[in-house]
Amino acid sequence: MDLHPFQPREVKDVVESYLDAAYEKGFREVRIVHGRGIGVQRQIVRKVLERDPRVVSFRSGGPGGGGWGATVARLR
């Protein structure tokens, strides 16, 4: 999911909806692209992931996966 089209105030709801849909479809890993910028969207994304009981772990995207401009989450 790419969050670039969304305003920071929309990010929490968008990420929660995305996690709902991904989990329902059986995805075990998702990548959320928030961009590098000053880290506002990254902080919001990671706060949502920390609080969601379906999320086992999360990390930066790594080489070829968006680096620190993306977050990859593993789901139960």
Side-chain angles (χ1 to χ4, degrees), residues 14-73:
V14 169
V15 171
E16 288 173 348
S17 294
Y18 179 61
L19 289 174
D20 290 343
Y23 190 77
E24 183 178 307
K25 292 195 181 286
F27 290 9
R28 294 296 171 239
E29 186 172 278
V30 296
R31 183 168 60 114
I32 303 167
V33 178
H34 40 66
R36 294 179 180 171
I38 60 173
V40 172
Q41 289 191 5
R42 179 176 56 246
Q43 183 178 9
I44 295 168
V45 166
R46 291 182 175 201
K47 189 176 287 188
V48 170
L49 296 175
E50 285 173 355
R51 295 179 177 168
D52 194 306
R54 299 169 294 192
V55 176
V56 175
S57 63
F58 60 88
R59 60 178 171 74
S60 292
W68 52 275
T71 297
V72 176

Side-chain angles (χ1 to χ4, degrees), residues 1-7 33-36 41 69:
M1 158 169 279
D2 186 351
L3 296 176
H4 284 99
F6 300 98
Q7 296 295 318
V33 178
H34 40 66
R36 294 179 180 171
Q41 289 191 5

